[in-house]
Amino acid sequence: MEERIRRIYVPMTETGFYILFCLQTPQHGYGIGQQVKEITGNAVCISPGTMYGTLSKMEKDGLITFYAEKEKRKLYQITPLGKEILELEISRIERLYKNSKGESVHE
């Protein structure tokens, strides 16, 4: 993985995390927004400007790719690089959670 990409995305913004997480299956921007609201109990709402700006940047950086067009909506899917970044971020969050509970990272 290119170090520049790692520095940009880890640690990841909450928006970036949820977008990559949702794109483990092909999805369009509106669908991602709805899924994020659902899984967070409406605690996180991604505005259209943030959504499409983030999708564009992630596509340019190779974390996601265009998958197909369905009903005039572009569907995106996570790439292997995106999966690697998502896994790094999940590991980082798990480590933070364990440390907050006083657990050793090596347990």
Side-chain angles (χ1 to χ4, degrees):
M1 170 191 321
E2 191 178 321
E3 187 59 32
R4 178 187 73 82
I5 296 294
R6 184 182 179 132
R7 279 195 318 267
I8 291 170
Y9 288 99
V10 179
M12 188 173 285
T13 65
E14 194 169 16
T15 298
F17 175 83
Y18 282 119
I19 289 172
L20 276 185
F21 183 80
C22 291
L23 288 176
Q24 292 179 91
T25 57
Q27 186 71 269
H28 50 73
Y30 179 77
I32 294 167
Q34 294 305 304
Q35 187 176 354
V36 169
K37 283 183 185 179
E38 182 182 318
I39 63 180
T40 65
N42 288 322
V44 176
C45 179
I46 304 173
S47 72
T50 299
M51 175 70 70
Y52 293 103
T54 303
L55 287 171
S56 177
K57 180 169 178 19
M58 285 182 167
E59 184 177 26
K60 180 180 151 271
D61 289 339
L63 275 65
I64 64 172
T65 189
F66 173 76
Y67 178 78
E69 191 168 319
K70 184 177 180 183
E71 300 171 8
K72 297 185 180 182
R73 294 179 188 224
K74 288 175 75 172
L75 276 74
Y76 297 92
Q77 185 172 18
I78 195 169
T79 64
L81 175 60
K83 286 179 184 177
E84 192 175 343
I85 292 291
L86 182 60
E87 288 170 7
L88 283 172
E89 184 64 1
I90 289 170
S91 293
R92 188 186 75 81
I93 292 167
E94 287 174 341
R95 185 182 71 246
L96 289 172
Y97 178 76
K98 285 180 181 178
N99 288 338
S100 76
K101 297 294 182 188
E103 298 173 21
S104 169
V105 177
H106 302 291
E107 288 181 5

